Structures are given as structure tokens and as C-alpha cells.
Amino acid sequence: MSEHTWWKEAVVYQIYPRSFNDTDGDGLGDIPGITERVEYLDELGIDAVWLSPVYESPQYDNGYDVADYRSIHSEFGTMDDFDRMLERLHDHDIRLVMDMVSNHTSSEHEWFQRSRSNPDGEYGDYYVWREGDPDEPPNNWESAFGGSAWTYDEEREAWYLHLFDVHQPDLNWRNPAVREAMFDTMNWWLDKGVDGFRLDVLNLLSKAEGLPDGDPDGEWVGEEHFVDGPRIHEYLGEMHDEVFAGRDIVTVGEMPQLDIETAREYVGDGPLDLVFPFEHVDIDFGENGRWDIGEWDLTGLKSVLDEWQRGLEGHGWNTIFFENHDQPRSVSRFGDDEEYHYESATALATILLTLRGTPFIYQGEEIGMTNSTFESLESVRDVDTVRNVEELIDDGVIEDYEEIRPVVEYRSRDNSRTPMQWSDAEHAGFTDGEPWIAVNDDYDEINVASEEARSPSVLSYYRNLIALREETPALVRGSYDLHLPDDEQLYVYTRTLEGQQVVVAINFSDLDRRAAIEPLHAGASLLASNYEDAPDAPGQPVEFRPYEARVYEQSQ
Ligand code: TEU
């Protein structure tokens, strides 16, 4: 962990550039589109932007397949555009966190091209190659996007590993030259003035010696040999020393399959400031995993979040998030995107902005954007969804798309990738052209302009709560305690710091509820609520309406 800790006080906003704001009419968001909206970000009150990849890329995985780490994808703009955006953000005291993809590159990256054409050359050992029978992959590892993690390359006459798409070959981190090349790249961006990195699938860099078969019944076949692998701490230690040390930056490792014990090794005295775990957003997986919908309940959600809150207290620092570009929309998933859209979106905002940790808001979450509809597989753009659905059909698990459509509309990453809804103009004011993915049908109701005109609105609630967090030390640094852990409806916790105590009490359900909120004193005063007529002083028992959230302050 670095000695600079501005990121503990920061609220971060994630921009998925492809879907944020298009200024040149090609239907794809761009960097000038971000620059144009810096005032909007400033008004929201956020302190940093995490920008999903904008590097040159063939875009098979929307930029997570990088073809050149030091140039900007032309559809997004130029390096001059980037510099202007960075300057504008900094003028507004907003920091910029880049997304660094270091586990794999695009197959169009020059390194891969040279690696496949010349096994004995400088780049020959840059990727994970295995020779052998072209009909028999080297092991049974699976790609996160479905199917084998290996593809046979006719040119090199060898197999290469790709834990994600076939166009995303895994780098060979055992090779010191690969590590040096990635560290150089990262230093290059930091020297340019960016303020940190979100590091893509960072705990997958180290693959087990000999690449042994994984448990064929595992959730992600092979994971025991590449998640938190044997040399991961060595690699991240080096990364820390070569890149992060002595800089005033933030580092966030994205870490699939991470548990709390392992997380403690990465943050605190470990090499990173923050990690993104996924346990809390995996609670609604079904019996057959991600492409199946399972039941979730509030006690389950509270218990996972509580475990992370307590598990890192006094040791490291949490990230708090419900959405990103890989997750469906939280109001559709955990809330009620119809009858209680405003109430449940703001109840979620309350949790996001008052738990202990650095909150990450994903674009559109602050206006309560919802899951979309995908009528056919042709309307789906996400490589993860398309490949997995095709595999389920090929394997005979499902007959056709229609059978899995409800799951896609619940879970697909495309749900969060539909264009940002700025207004009720054509294409939600996102583009003058044809958007690369269809705009959500509800854009005429849910959009920034209408949120700005309406009071109260999800957007105004976000603005208020971000400001409140900023001016309330207990909400940032305060210790955390959960109350009523077994209550199926109420989410109640306190944040306490040097005599100041904040009590957060939320009725996370669509039913009324009357309950005594034990930690609340008679002298408490209301700081925020998503119901305008919530009383300033709490009478006991408290009467909650559906999804009512209240934040009180009291002396302690
Ligand atoms: O995601 C990593 C990851 O494991 C998942 O969140 C993944 O998106 C999916 O749900 C499959 O299990 C990161 C990026 O955030 C994602 O957009 C990329 O597709 C992926 O890595 C590969 O770079």
C-alpha cells in the first residue's frame, strides 16, 4: 500500500468509453465525448474516473484486447484528445485511473505476431505456447468465455493459451522480458500524468508449473492452477517496486474468484491499495453457475458484505461496488426497476456511499439505468455472452436462444453496456449516428436531462450523498458495525469516529416495516433520506416505507 491515501476519501466513477458519449457520429463513444462531460462529472462530485481501455485494439472484447498499449484506438480519438481530456479532468481536480490489461494482449499485438512467426526470436517466449497433437489441447483448462482455453495456431504449429477469447492470448509472465515490457508500459502512462491503474484480472498472471489439468467439475476448469497462482506475489512485488513505489497513485487489482483471506495478502502490507472481489455479485448464480439464475436474499448479501467489511478493517481498505461493465444493472438485479425504481435505486446508492471503503459508481448507475432487452442472439454484442450461449447450444444444454433469453436479459454484460442515456432525444442523446448497441427502450423516461428536471431524482440523491460523504468524516474513516444481521428486510449499520456516529437504516424490501432500530438515540438527526418527509428526529419504533433509506447522525 502506498503512503498516499487520497483514494480512501475518493468516490470513483467508471467510464466505459464505447458507451458514454459520441461526438463524431460513428455510433461509438469517444474521448472528446468524455471531455465534453467533465462538468457533469464535476457536478456529480466524484474525485476520480476509472476509464476502461482506450488503447488501440481490434475490439473483440471492447478494448480488453490491446494491440498497442501506447496508442489510442482511432475510433476513440487521438493521443492529443487523450491529453486534452486528462488536462480537463485535472483542471477539475478529477484524477484519472487507467485500465491496464496485463494478463493478455490482442492476437493482433505485434508481440503476438512476432511470437507466432518466430519461436526462436525475441518474442518467441512472450506467450504460453505448447507443442503437441493439433487435435488434443495441452490440458483441460477452460476459457471464461466458454470452450477450451487453448487454440492451435497453424503458423507456429503449436497451441497457445487464452483464458478469455481466442483473440486474447495470455502473456507468459515467467519470462522476465514480458514483465519488464509491462512495467515499462505502466511507467510510461504514469510519467504521462495518469493517477493510477485498475488492473485487469490481476490474480491470473501466474500459471502453475507444468500446466496440470484442472478439476473437470470445477466452476472454472483449471482455476486452481491459475487463480492466485504460485508466483503471483513475486510478480506483484516486482510490479510494486518497479512501478508503484514512491508514486502518488492508486492501484486496484481486479480479482476473479478472490476470497477474503487471499485478499488480505494483496492489500494492507501487500503490493496493492485495493482489490475488486466478486463474492457479493455472485450471490445470485444458479446451480449451473453464471448462466443460471439463483435465489438471493438480503441476509445473504449483508453477510458477504459484512465479511469483507470486517475482514479488511484495520488491515486494508475495501472497494464498494454493485456495477461495472461486466455486471448487469443493480436496480434490476437487487432492487425493483418498476414500481420502486427511484426508491430502490437510491436505497442501493445509500449502501454504496456509506459502507466503509472506496465507492465505485458505474456510468448510468447514478440515474438508475436498468437492464435491457435482447430479442435475438444477433442483438447481443458481448463476446462472453455470445460464445457461452453458442456453447450451451452446441453442447445440447439448451435448444435455442429463446430458452436462455431470460438469463441473458438478467445477467449479460451487455445490460450495462447500452448507451448512456443523456436525454429523451433520438438515441438518448448518445450519438447522432447509429449506436453500436441498441439504446435501452426506457431512455425517454430514464435520462440525465429528465433526472435534472425532476425532484427528487436518483441523480440528485447521488449528488447529495456524495457531498454528504465528503463532509462527514465518520462515513469515510469511521469503524463499521452491522446490526440486525438476520433481519430479512432491514439493513442497519453504524459508522463511528471520535464521538461522531452515523446510523444507516434501510428497509430493503417492497413492504412497509415497523421496527425498533436499537443503535439509534433519541437525539439523532436526519442527514439524508430517499423519502422527502422522513422525520428529522427518529421516534421509536421507526416506520419504514418500501425501500426507505435513512441516514442519521448522533453523538456517541
Ligand atoms: O473481467 C474478468 C472476469 O473474470 C469477469 O468479470 C468476466 O468479465 C466475465 O464475467 C467472465 O467470467 C475482465 C474485464 O473486466 C472484462 O471486461 C474482460 O472481458 C476480461 O477481464 C478479459 O480481459
Side-chain angles (χ1 to χ4, degrees):
M1 189 175 74
S2 60
E3 65 272 28
H4 305 279
T5 54
W6 54 266
W7 41 269
K8 288 190 179 175
E9 274 135 55
V11 175
V12 187
Y13 184 89
Q14 184 192 350
I15 291 182
Y16 196 63
R18 220 182 153 78
S19 303
F20 190 62
N21 184 27
D22 176 26
T23 57
D24 62 3
D26 65 357
L28 241 73
D30 46 44
I31 291 174
I34 300 170
T35 311
E36 197 176 270
R37 299 292 180 178
V38 170
E39 255 106 64
Y40 171 77
L41 301 174
D42 199 4
E43 265 175 57
L44 185 56
I46 54 108
D47 307 287
V49 163
W50 150 25
L51 179 62
S52 279
V54 290
Y55 318 103
E56 190 183 310
S57 161
Q59 303 281 324
Y60 286 102
D61 190 18
N62 296 354
Y64 285 89
D65 46 329
V66 180
D68 181 353
Y69 291 93
R70 300 188 196 197
S71 60
I72 299 294
H73 180 64
S74 61
E75 288 171 308
F76 291 158
T78 63
M79 195 58 85
D80 283 345
D81 292 330
F82 179 90
D83 292 339
R84 265 192 292 274
M85 171 187 67
L86 182 60
E87 202 183 324
R88 180 75 66 88
L89 286 167
H90 282 170
D91 283 350
H92 286 258
D93 291 327
I94 299 173
R95 307 200 199 219
L96 181 64
V97 177
M98 295 296 276
D99 204 320
M100 187 47 64
V101 190
S102 54
N103 176 68
H104 45 266
T105 70
S106 159
S107 49
E108 291 181 18
H109 196 292
E110 195 193 342
W111 297 342
F112 188 74
Q113 292 302 324
R114 293 173 72 164
S115 194
R116 83 168 8 146
S117 62
N118 186 2
D120 302 318
E122 190 184 342
Y123 298 92
D125 194 30
Y126 257 52
Y127 295 84
V128 185
W129 292 101
R130 284 294 175 275
E131 278 162 18
D133 181 349
D135 296 320
E136 188 64 40
N139 67 26
N140 67 352
W141 296 3
E142 278 178 0
S143 152
F145 297 161
S148 170
W150 294 92
T151 290
Y152 191 77
D153 183 61
E154 297 291 346
E155 189 175 337
R156 179 154 162 168
E157 297 183 339
W159 292 89
Y160 67 89
L161 178 71
H162 54 88
L163 292 181
F164 294 89
D165 187 52
V166 53
H167 302 98
Q168 291 167 299
D170 278 53
L171 284 161
N172 174 20
W173 272 74
R174 288 172 178 275
N175 181 349
V178 166
R179 306 206 288 276
E180 240 7 86
M182 282 313 307
F183 300 158
D184 274 358
T185 305
M186 292 163 94
N187 276 317
W188 187 85
W189 281 101
L190 293 173
D191 292 344
K192 207 171 172 36
V194 306
D195 305 288
F197 296 114
R198 175 270 189 189
L199 299 129
D200 194 61
V201 292
L202 195 64
N203 59 339
L204 306 188
L205 302 183
S206 167
K207 280 81 179 174
E209 182 83 55
L211 311 175
D213 275 336
D215 171 3
D217 300 322
E219 189 179 297
W220 183 1
V221 178
E223 63 177 309
E224 63 274 38
H225 302 303
F226 55 73
V227 174
D228 310 311
R231 292 179 66 184
I232 188 68
H233 289 286
E234 176 193 336
Y235 300 157
L236 297 189
E238 257 179 53
M239 191 183 285
H240 175 273
D241 295 350
E242 303 265 328
V243 184
F244 308 154
R247 295 200 191 248
D248 180 14
I249 56 169
V250 67
T251 55
V252 194
E254 189 221 18
M255 302 209 163
Q257 318 291 93
L258 183 67
D259 58 41
I260 183 77
E261 287 74 32
T262 319
R264 290 163 67 95
E265 294 167 21
Y266 289 120
V267 297
D269 296 332
L272 300 168
D273 297 323
L274 298 166
V275 288
F276 283 132
F278 292 96
E279 273 179 6
H280 68 297
V281 285
D282 291 353
I283 62 165
D284 57 358
F285 284 13
E287 271 170 31
N288 300 312
R290 198 154 57 98
W291 298 100
D292 187 11
I293 306 172
E295 294 281 322
W296 71 275
D297 52 29
L298 184 68
T299 47
L301 182 64
K302 288 195 293 191
S303 120
V304 177
L305 291 172
D306 182 59
E307 191 193 341
W308 283 85
Q309 290 282 295
R310 286 184 297 107
L312 293 187
E313 188 143 4
H315 180 89
W317 195 252
N318 269 296
T319 54
I320 314 293
F321 73 96
F322 291 116
E323 292 186 16
N324 61 39
H325 64 292
D326 296 331
Q327 299 292 329
R329 291 295 184 176
S330 56
V331 67
S332 303
R333 183 183 198 178
F334 299 120
D336 174 343
D337 62 7
E338 288 174 359
E339 197 175 345
Y340 295 110
H341 177 264
Y342 166 77
E343 291 81 359
S344 62
T346 49
L348 281 161
T350 310
I351 305 170
L352 183 65
L353 292 160
T354 63
L355 276 178
R356 182 179 161 95
T358 301
F360 285 74
I361 302 167
Y362 177 70
Q363 67 184 42
E365 190 175 6
E366 78 279 19
I367 56 168
M369 277 179 65
T370 64
N371 278 355
S372 203
T373 41
F374 301 98
E375 284 174 11
S376 63
L377 195 53
E378 287 68 54
S379 64
V380 175
R381 297 282 171 274
D382 171 29
V383 58
D384 172 37
T385 311
V386 172
R387 296 249 196 284
N388 273 294
V389 169
E390 282 171 353
E391 203 199 1
L392 290 170
I393 295 174
D394 286 351
D395 292 352
V397 180
I398 55 168
E399 206 139 284
D400 52 20
Y401 174 72
E402 215 36 45
E403 207 180 318
I404 193 95
R405 181 174 160 187
V407 187
V408 170
E409 292 181 343
Y410 179 88
R411 178 97 61 210
S412 171
R413 309 194 299 180
D414 274 351
N415 282 302
S416 57
R417 299 175 179 189
T418 62
M420 178 70 185
Q421 291 161 206
W422 294 104
S423 72
D424 63 4
E426 201 183 4
H427 307 313
F430 161 72
T431 180
D432 293 334
E434 220 16 75
W436 71 278
I437 185 171
V439 173
N440 191 317
D441 288 339
D442 64 15
Y443 76 93
D444 51 344
E445 270 182 50
I446 299 175
N447 61 69
V448 171
S450 75
E451 287 285 295
E452 278 178 334
R454 179 185 306 153
S455 175
S457 69
V458 180
L459 181 59
S460 65
Y461 192 83
Y462 266 89
R463 286 176 178 160
N464 290 343
L465 246 75
I466 292 169
L468 181 67
R469 190 180 184 278
E470 201 132 295
E471 68 205 24
T472 313
L475 283 181
V476 179
R477 306 256 170 190
S479 60
Y480 148 95
D481 284 289
L482 181 68
H483 297 264
L484 306 174
D486 301 322
D487 197 293
E488 300 286 354
Q489 261 181 286
L490 295 176
Y491 198 170
V492 179
Y493 49 90
T494 50
R495 303 289 315 280
T496 313
L497 183 75
E498 293 157 8
Q500 182 185 42
Q501 186 168 60
V502 174
V503 182
V504 179
I506 303 166
N507 171 20
F508 208 85
S509 82
D510 55 7
L511 304 169
D512 289 330
R513 177 70 189 276
R514 188 165 202 266
I517 302 301
E518 180 257 313
L520 212 48
H521 302 170
S525 62
L526 190 74
L527 291 177
S529 173
N530 55 356
Y531 277 78
E532 289 201 303
D533 56 355
D536 262 347
Q540 296 273 20
V542 180
E543 308 272 354
F544 289 99
R545 288 155 287 184
Y547 292 102
E548 180 159 358
R550 299 193 193 178
V551 182
Y552 285 101
E553 182 186 19
Q554 60 193 15
S555 50
Q556 154 75 348

